[in-house]
């Protein structure tokens, strides 16, 4: 009996040890950095990291931030790693957490859908010096709706603001009917859906509403997380898309990729030139191109409601954030190479993944921004 | 254990000085949660947490005690064991999976069938006011009830099994029916244990995060209607923590955590007093 007991115990123990020893191949695995509670519990949007396997002993870079960029970065960083012999580990933990990690210097670069606030910049300045915002892709917030029998719904900024302020309550409201004279609009109440978690998509959407509606600007304002006057909150773009799909009369905003993949009808929004434009990869790139002429040289541009006939007005950049001075010589060179690749050759992967590639003017601006980075105090 | 509790509380107090000093005690009664204008108040979340937990208990308690009575008093042993095993399996389901089930099954059912039915039957009752969103206090309460039932059933069953046979036999000898012997002999004897089970269920309901976040509607409002969306303290922390842009925002969220801790302690204390007083009363009943 005792011998059998001992045999069984040793069998179990050796089994456990073998399992722990396990594989050490670089695989995509969920990682939980500083923002542990939200990232480990978020089932709808799992935090992930990418690790492109390298052939030789290449440079290992780390980045963290925007969840919206994650699918695109996975592809671009993997491709860069293969041709440069390096490895990038990107943790999709949210723009805010990414900025925090950059400030704490636990990662080499961050990524954010929102421009850093003055407080955040001050903290980063104290930690490692000036931070440079490099636009790397364009995110479009499409307005999805669930009104059976209505195709190609046209909305404009003021109407959307009215819906989200609660002043426009039903689908057959005269303001909506005026924009859609041929549509049969039902009397269903509008079920407004918004993001409950802080998000770059909310940032772009609320900035758009602030620019077209003075009432919205004074009452609510623009940020990654605001006090929504009406509506229910859902977690993640997929949560909003799911709610809109389920609730008749629903309306919500989410990244264009979700609308395309879930076949949710999206509204055409009237841009600054008065043309009703549907969200698409082309109209997002057009928005950036239209705004490029007046873009500030530091890359921190809000391109909502921009000029141009083919522009989709609810768009925004997503930036890579990096310190201007990269202290480590080897890593610094690799980072410069990575940023250059991401903003030039890497853009070719964008369209397949339903991201909008940067127009040439913005790529040129990025080139200048990257050239301004210094490595270990010395210019490149 | 006490050391861990003390450490958690001190950590939370240390991380929230900004919010504590800016808002003071007003934080507990302020209803506005506005990150842009930097106004933060915890009342809507405290309301959401308390209301969903109480609703969960109201739904779960009769069901759980009923199941426990059935398993102990009426069912043949093989059926009783089978039901106990299945109930414990229910407890093993991860809360996230229950949340997903809630989104894809419960919420559409509420939105298309149950809520319109109530609105039709009772159009003027403020309890059933509002458009049928599906998500809301009712959905949150139902999901929490499902999570709380296994806890209460397991403990109630154990408590009722410890009631001495003499109690039941004495009641039956006096001429009571078997149902009467259950309600007059077993339940009063097990009263304090049953209350303890309900307290444990309450503890689970107060802290539950993921499943509730997915079906509660995430709207910081206080409303008397069951169909209105709400927001719980655990949900707001889970939702907004990673993207809290300013330090005031972050410290406000940590302070919400502190309030959650306080609410849990207070409700547990009330429940404990209740258990203690019923235990005292039933010990005066005593054994024959």
């Amino acid at each position: 009996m005792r011998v059998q007991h001992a045999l069984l115990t040793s069998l179990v123990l050796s089994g456990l040890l073998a399992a722990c020893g396990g594989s050490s191949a670089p695989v995509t695995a969920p990682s939980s950095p500083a923002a542990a509670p939200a990232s480990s519990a978020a089932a709808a949007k799992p935090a992930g990291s990418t690790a492109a396997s390298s052939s030789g002993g290449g440079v290992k870079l780390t980045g963290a931030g925007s969840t919206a960029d994650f699918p695109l970065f996975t592809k671009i960083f993997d491709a860069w790693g293969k041709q440069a012999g390096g490895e990038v580990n990107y943790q999709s933990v949210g723009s805010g957490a990414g900025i925090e990690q950059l400030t704490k210097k636990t990662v080499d670069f961050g990524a954010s859908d929102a421009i850093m606030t003055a407080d955040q910049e001050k903290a980063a300045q104290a930690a490692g010096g000036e931070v440079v915002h490099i636009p790397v892709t364009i995110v479009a917030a499409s307005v999805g709706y669930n009104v059976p029998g209505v195709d190609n719904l046209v909305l404009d900024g003021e109407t959307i603001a009215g819906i989200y302020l609660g002043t426009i309550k039903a689908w057959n409201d005269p303001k909506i009917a005026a924009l859609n004279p041929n549509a049969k609009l039902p009397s269903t109440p509008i079920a407004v859906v918004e993001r409950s978690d802080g998000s770059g998509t909310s940032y772009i959407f609320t900035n758009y509403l602030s620019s077209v509606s003075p009432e919205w600007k004074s009452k609510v304002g623009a940020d990654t997380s605001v006090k929504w006057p009406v509506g229910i909150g859902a977690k993640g773009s997929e949560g909003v898309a799911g709610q809109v799909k389920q609730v008749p009369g629903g309306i919500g905003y989410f990244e264009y990729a979700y609308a395309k993949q879930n076949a949710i009808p999206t509204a055409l929004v009237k841009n600054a030139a008065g043309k009703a434009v549907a969200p698409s990869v082309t109209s997002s790139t057009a928005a950036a191109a239209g705004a490029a002429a007046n873009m500030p040289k530091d890359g921190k541009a809000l391109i909502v409601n921009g000029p141009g006939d083919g522009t989709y007005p609810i768009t925004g950049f997503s930036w890579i954030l990096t310190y201007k001075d990269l202290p480590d010589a080897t890593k610094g060179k690799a980072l410069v190479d990575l940023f250059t690749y991401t903003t030039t050759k890497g853009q070719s992967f964008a369209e397949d993944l339903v991201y909008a590639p940067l127009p040439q003017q913005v790529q040129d601006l990025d080139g200048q921004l990257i050239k301004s980075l210094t490595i270990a105090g010395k210019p490149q | 254990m006490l050391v861990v509790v003390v450490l958690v509380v001190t950590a939370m107090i240390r991380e929230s000085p900004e919010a504590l000093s800016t808002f003071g005690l007003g934080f507990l009664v302020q209803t506005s949660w506005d990150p842009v204008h930097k106004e933060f108040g915890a009342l809507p979340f405290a309301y959401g947490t308390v209301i969903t937990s109480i609703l969960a208990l109201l739904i779960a308690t009769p069901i759980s005690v009923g199941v426990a009575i059935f398993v102990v008093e009426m069912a043949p042993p093989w059926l009783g064991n089978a039901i106990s095993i299945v109930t414990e399996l229910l407890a093993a389901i991860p809360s996230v999976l229950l949340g997903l089930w809630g989104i894809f099954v419960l919420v559409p059912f509420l939105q298309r069938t149950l809520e319109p039915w109530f609105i039709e039957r009772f159009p003027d009752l403020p309890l059933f006011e509002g458009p049928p969103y599906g998500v809301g206090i009712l959905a949150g309460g139902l999901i929490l009830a499902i999570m709380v039932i296994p806890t209460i059933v397991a403990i109630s069953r154990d408590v009722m099994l410890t009631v001495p046979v003499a109690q039941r036999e004495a009641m039956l000898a006096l001429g009571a029916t078997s149902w009467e012997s259950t309600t007059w002999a077993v339940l009063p004897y097990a009263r304090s244990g049953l209350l303890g089970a309900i307290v444990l269920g309450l503890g689970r309901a107060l802290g539950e995060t993921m499943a509730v976040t997915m079906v509660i509607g995430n709207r910081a409002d206080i409303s008397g209607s069951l169909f209105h969306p709400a927001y719980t303290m655990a949900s707001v922390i889970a939702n907004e923590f990673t993207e809290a842009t300013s330090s005031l925002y972050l410290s406000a969220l940590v302070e919400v955590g502190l309030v959650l801790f306080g609410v849990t302690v207070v409700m547990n204390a009330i429940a404990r007093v209740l258990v203690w007083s019923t235990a005292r009363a039933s010990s005066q009943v005593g054994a024959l």
Side-chain angles (χ1 to χ4, degrees):
Chain A
M1 208 42 217
R2 279 228 180 116
V3 176
Q4 289 167 332
H5 213 79
L7 267 173
L8 185 64
T9 322
S10 52
L11 254 174
V12 170
L13 275 173
S14 51
L16 280 171
L17 282 170
C20 290
S23 57
S24 49
V27 201
T28 310
S31 56
S32 52
S39 60
S40 59
K45 231 183 169 87
S49 62
T50 69
S53 48
S54 55
S55 45
V59 188
K60 286 194 178 42
L61 303 171
T62 54
S66 155
T67 50
D69 296 339
F70 180 57
L72 182 65
F73 282 172
T74 311
K75 192 80 207 214
I76 295 183
F77 294 164
D78 185 67
W80 176 82
K82 286 202 180 80
Q83 53 94 45
E87 198 179 309
V88 185
N89 189 313
Y90 179 77
Q91 297 160 9
S92 132
V93 292
S95 307
I99 294 175
E100 227 186 281
Q101 285 204 38
L102 180 71
T103 313
K104 290 204 178 95
K105 292 206 186 156
T106 50
V107 290
D108 300 315
F109 66 91
S112 167
D113 309 319
I115 301 175
M116 280 172 81
T117 63
D119 287 332
Q120 287 169 333
E121 287 224 19
K122 221 167 49 186
Q125 183 92 321
E130 195 184 327
V131 174
V132 177
H133 288 62
I134 306 174
V136 289
T137 189
I138 305 159
V139 177
S142 58
V143 178
Y145 62 94
N146 182 351
V147 184
V150 176
D151 297 317
N152 301 322
L153 182 75
V154 175
L155 294 171
D156 70 358
E158 269 186 40
T159 320
I160 302 177
I163 292 174
Y164 272 83
L165 278 167
T167 50
I168 299 179
K169 295 198 215 296
W171 280 106
N172 58 358
D173 189 281
K175 293 209 184 76
I176 305 181
L179 293 164
N180 297 277
N182 296 326
K184 286 201 193 62
L185 297 166
S187 58
T188 331
I190 304 182
V192 179
V193 188
E194 57 239 4
R195 288 286 289 269
S196 60
D197 48 332
S199 119
T201 321
S202 292
Y203 181 79
I204 296 171
F205 189 67
T206 49
N207 265 302
Y208 171 69
L209 291 179
S210 292
S211 72
V212 295
S213 164
E215 196 187 342
W216 180 274
K217 189 168 180 177
S218 59
K219 238 179 153 185
V220 186
D223 200 356
T224 51
S225 194
V226 298
K227 183 176 182 204
W228 301 94
V230 293
I232 53 174
K235 196 164 163 60
S237 271
E238 58 280 9
V240 177
Q243 276 292 326
V244 169
K245 239 181 150 174
Q246 274 184 9
V247 180
I251 188 173
Y253 63 91
F254 32 84
E255 280 140 37
Y256 172 58
Y258 286 96
K260 193 160 178 212
Q261 277 157 15
N262 292 315
I264 302 177
T266 52
L268 290 89
V269 183
K270 281 207 160 157
N271 60 18
K275 301 266 191 313
V277 179
S280 73
V281 163
T282 339
S283 56
S284 308
T285 311
N294 294 326
M295 251 178 81
K297 289 285 170 260
D298 59 3
K300 296 191 222 170
L302 284 172
I303 56 173
V304 291
N305 209 27
D309 275 355
T311 300
Y312 181 69
I314 319 180
T315 40
F317 283 120
S318 192
W319 293 267
I320 276 188
L321 306 168
T322 172
Y323 285 112
K324 189 155 181 184
D325 181 54
L326 306 164
D328 183 289
T330 343
K331 269 197 181 177
K333 226 162 108 220
L335 281 170
V336 166
D337 191 48
L338 175 68
F339 297 155
T340 316
Y341 185 84
T342 309
T343 52
T344 50
K345 291 211 192 72
Q347 295 294 313
S348 60
F349 298 115
E351 212 163 324
D352 284 336
L353 295 168
V354 200
Y355 284 85
L358 296 171
Q360 190 57 46
Q361 304 94 313
V362 180
Q363 287 191 29
D364 294 336
L365 176 67
D366 282 348
Q368 288 176 6
L369 285 169
I370 296 171
K371 228 163 66 192
S372 75
L373 300 174
T374 56
I375 303 182
K378 293 195 219 94
Q380 300 167 40
Chain B
M1 285 311 295
L2 191 63
V3 173
V4 174
V5 170
V6 168
L7 284 175
V8 166
V9 175
T10 37
M12 285 201 286
I13 295 179
R14 219 186 33 215
E15 291 293 322
S16 60
E18 222 177 310
L20 282 169
S21 56
T22 316
F23 302 114
L25 277 174
F27 192 72
L28 293 169
V29 291
Q30 251 261 63
T31 53
S32 164
W33 186 263
D34 193 340
V36 175
H37 297 120
K38 304 229 189 315
E39 291 166 11
F40 299 106
L43 194 63
F45 311 113
Y47 174 81
T49 306
V50 170
I51 281 287
T52 47
S53 304
I54 291 180
L55 183 64
L57 281 183
L58 282 174
I59 299 173
T61 308
I63 299 177
S64 318
V65 175
V67 169
I69 292 175
F70 178 75
V71 166
V72 172
E73 303 287 323
M74 299 177 202
W78 62 269
L79 187 59
N81 278 329
I83 294 180
S84 305
I85 292 174
V86 170
T87 318
E88 270 150 37
L89 215 61
L90 194 64
I93 300 179
S95 61
V96 162
L97 288 187
L98 268 178
L100 282 179
W101 172 83
I103 297 181
F104 289 122
V105 178
L106 183 66
V107 165
F109 170 70
L110 286 177
Q111 188 231 332
R112 283 176 210 151
T113 317
L114 202 67
E115 291 184 8
W117 189 91
F118 274 107
I119 293 176
E120 239 179 290
R121 294 280 181 290
F122 309 101
D124 295 320
L125 217 59
L127 198 64
F128 303 130
E129 207 192 326
Y133 275 116
V135 294
I137 295 177
L138 183 62
L142 281 172
I143 288 263
L144 279 178
I146 294 174
M147 305 188 78
V148 152
I149 284 175
T151 316
I152 303 181
V153 167
I155 300 174
S156 307
R157 184 175 148 265
D158 288 340
V159 164
M160 282 200 265
L161 282 173
T162 63
V163 173
V165 184
Q167 293 282 322
R168 289 195 192 84
E169 287 182 346
M171 203 65 195
L172 290 170
L174 287 172
T177 62
S178 56
W179 175 249
E180 281 172 353
S181 84
T182 307
T183 45
W184 287 87
V186 175
L187 282 186
Y189 194 93
R191 203 168 32 199
S192 64
L194 291 177
L195 269 175
I198 296 173
V199 168
L200 276 166
L202 178 68
R204 177 137 194 228
L206 283 173
E208 182 49 47
T209 311
M210 263 341 271
V212 178
T213 304
M214 290 172 163
V215 300
I216 193 92
N218 298 324
R219 173 145 202 86
D221 260 352
I222 299 181
S223 161
S225 165
L226 278 179
F227 303 153
H228 203 88
Y231 220 156
T232 61
M233 291 186 272
S235 302
V236 71
I237 296 174
N239 273 330
E240 301 191 4
F241 200 76
T242 42
E243 295 278 348
T245 41
S246 63
S247 63
L248 182 64
Y249 194 177
L250 205 63
S251 68
L253 282 172
V254 176
E255 202 182 337
V256 168
L258 209 58
V259 173
L260 175 60
F261 189 76
V263 165
T264 313
V265 167
V266 164
M267 288 194 87
N268 268 307
I270 295 174
R272 286 257 153 253
V273 168
L274 212 61
V275 171
W276 174 78
S277 62
T278 26
R280 215 164 54 111
S282 62
S283 73
Q284 282 162 3
V285 169
L288 284 168

